[in-house]
Amino acid sequence: MADLGHLFCVLVSLLHSGSCNDQPKAQGEHKTLFVFGDSLFDPGNNQYLNDSVEGGALPWPYGETYFGHSTGRLSDGRLVPDFVAQFAKLPILPPYLQPITHRFTDGANFASAGGGVLVQTHPGTLSYFKAVVKSLRQKLGDVAAKKLLMKAVYLFSIGGNDYFSFYTHYPNATQPYRRQYVGMVIGNLTSVLKEIYGLGGRKIAFQNAGPLGCLPAMKARDPQLGSECAEEPSALARLHNRALANALKKLENKLPGFKYSIFDYYSALGDRVQNPSKYGFKNGKAACCGSGAYKGQNCGGGRNGTEPYELCSNPSEYVWFDGGHTTERANRQLAELIWSGGPRFSGPYNVKQLFEHP
């Protein structure tokens, strides 16, 4: 019966100019995910960097919820790209710098805590991606590698550190200077996307900049804020998000086959901070882990691991795990919006639609 079934498949495929090996399409087709970004997406790459800007070898309680131990992720459990990989029926992508045998046909996660777009915020993951492209070409051949790279989705979370750095150095910057700085960030980002396009990438997904002034770390830095958010960092994020949307639209018009998704992280996270109970959280302002105002610092004992800190009993009740990073439960909700959210939060495509796009 198996031979008859195969014969039927061959006959049908001849009529439809396909092949039996192409079946089934869409749902069953293997997916590839490449992840770029900062600490929001870093699965532990910073553990393998000698000059780590942020993160590094993280202590307990990071990782306590899902992994049972610290993995280098700045959360109690899985991050957004971990969930996106699982929704795509992929394994959770390990840190690219982890010295193991990698399966690059699944993709790779290059994100690094402290990473940014400009030179002073520690970029460099593009060279890692180029090495992966070279490896795929050697393993699969140029034609198959190009096909894989064109079908893959490239997921980004980048820019927050650039704006934190700018705000720290220029808290009272004029609006023209802010616009100039945003223009530099978007210009560099556009150059990176053009390079990825040149290497075969066609499907780009962005998590835009979040409400930077609402982080518990920002409240710890300026206790006078109370429960309010700092306006200047969030205003920078809004400027960036408008410029990012314009830049991606221009690339789509200019580059044949270029498709993109923008997840409105700013609004999705901001609403959870302001209205936590609407999403099943008890606290949207303070962190689960840390010390000081709104527990915005020193989760796990700070940089030297010796600072006192408090830890909540149930991270799933909180939006924030530490001063700048969300809990696994919040990450899952955000990842669901990236994956299959409607146009209000993810557009012009969501990531599921990007994967399915020919």
Side-chain angles (χ1 to χ4, degrees):
M1 290 301 290
D3 288 340
L4 286 171
H6 182 71
L7 179 61
F8 178 74
C9 175
V10 170
L11 289 169
V12 170
S13 68
L14 286 170
L15 287 170
H16 293 277
S17 303
S19 125
C20 290
N21 295 331
D22 291 337
Q23 310 296 327
K25 285 284 185 188
Q27 294 294 85
E29 206 164 73
H30 183 79
K31 297 176 176 68
T32 304
L33 177 68
F34 293 108
V35 181
F36 301 82
D38 49 30
S39 58
L40 300 180
F41 282 8
D42 182 1
N45 279 307
N46 267 41
Q47 296 174 108
Y48 306 102
L49 291 174
N50 292 327
D51 60 342
S52 173
V53 176
E54 182 190 341
L58 295 168
W60 188 91
Y62 288 104
E64 64 165 352
T65 300
Y66 182 77
F67 301 99
H69 60 91
S70 173
T71 62
R73 289 168 173 82
L74 282 150
S75 182
D76 60 303
R78 286 164 289 184
L79 305 179
V80 164
D82 298 329
F83 285 112
V84 171
Q86 290 182 319
F87 297 158
K89 304 289 191 289
L90 289 167
I92 289 177
L93 298 172
Y96 168 73
L97 294 177
Q98 187 175 348
I100 57 172
T101 301
H102 290 267
R103 188 172 140 171
F104 293 134
T105 50
D106 290 337
N109 188 329
F110 309 105
S112 176
V117 180
L118 302 180
V119 174
Q120 60 265 40
T121 46
H122 198 62
T125 52
L126 195 57
S127 60
Y128 299 149
F129 175 62
K130 288 176 179 176
V132 168
V133 171
K134 184 179 178 181
S135 170
L136 285 168
R137 285 172 178 164
Q138 289 170 344
K139 182 180 179 182
L140 304 176
D142 287 352
V143 174
K146 184 179 181 183
K147 185 179 178 184
L148 179 145
L149 293 165
M150 290 179 79
K151 285 185 172 183
V153 167
Y154 301 78
L155 179 62
F156 285 80
S157 166
I158 199 85
N161 290 317
D162 297 285
Y163 297 114
F164 282 129
S165 174
F166 180 81
Y167 176 67
T168 301
H169 291 98
Y170 309 104
N172 301 310
T174 62
Q175 187 71 353
Y177 191 40
R178 286 180 190 172
R179 290 186 184 280
Q180 184 185 346
Y181 186 80
V182 170
M184 285 168 52
V185 170
I186 296 296
N188 279 31
L189 204 46
T190 301
S191 297
V192 168
L193 294 178
K194 285 179 178 176
E195 278 206 65
I196 289 173
Y197 180 89
L199 292 164
R202 295 294 181 270
K203 303 175 181 183
I204 305 295
F206 264 91
Q207 171 173 291
N208 71 12
L212 303 177
C214 297
L215 274 60
M218 199 58 73
K219 300 178 194 294
R221 173 181 160 160
D222 184 4
Q224 290 183 329
L225 285 170
S227 64
E228 298 302 309
C229 299
E231 173 54 23
E232 289 79 6
S234 292
L236 276 169
R238 291 194 298 271
L239 272 179
H240 169 87
N241 292 343
R242 284 195 293 271
L244 175 66
N246 290 336
L248 289 173
K249 184 67 181 169
K250 284 178 184 174
L251 287 173
E252 183 184 45
N253 292 335
K254 186 177 180 182
L255 303 175
F258 182 95
K259 299 293 174 192
Y260 69 93
S261 168
I262 300 178
F263 166 52
D264 189 3
Y265 180 59
Y266 185 98
S267 299
L269 179 57
D271 202 33
R272 283 161 176 77
V273 168
Q274 300 300 337
N275 304 294
S277 60
K278 190 169 143 186
Y279 302 96
F281 298 102
K282 289 187 177 178
N283 197 318
K285 304 285 178 76
C288 161
C289 176
S291 62
Y294 293 88
K295 290 194 276 188
Q297 57 195 12
N298 297 329
C299 178
R303 287 190 179 276
N304 57 16
T306 60
E307 298 293 330
Y309 67 95
E310 296 173 36
L311 178 66
C312 71
S313 58
N314 187 357
S316 69
E317 295 177 348
Y318 286 72
V319 173
W320 300 101
F321 184 65
D322 70 6
H325 306 92
T326 39
T327 57
E328 177 177 274
R329 185 167 184 228
N331 288 336
R332 183 183 188 100
Q333 291 184 10
L334 298 168
E336 285 170 351
L337 291 174
I338 285 183
W339 179 252
S340 57
R344 184 184 164 204
F345 286 108
S346 290
Y349 299 90
N350 56 42
V351 166
K352 184 172 184 283
Q353 290 167 336
L354 267 190
F355 270 121
E356 291 167 355
H357 199 281

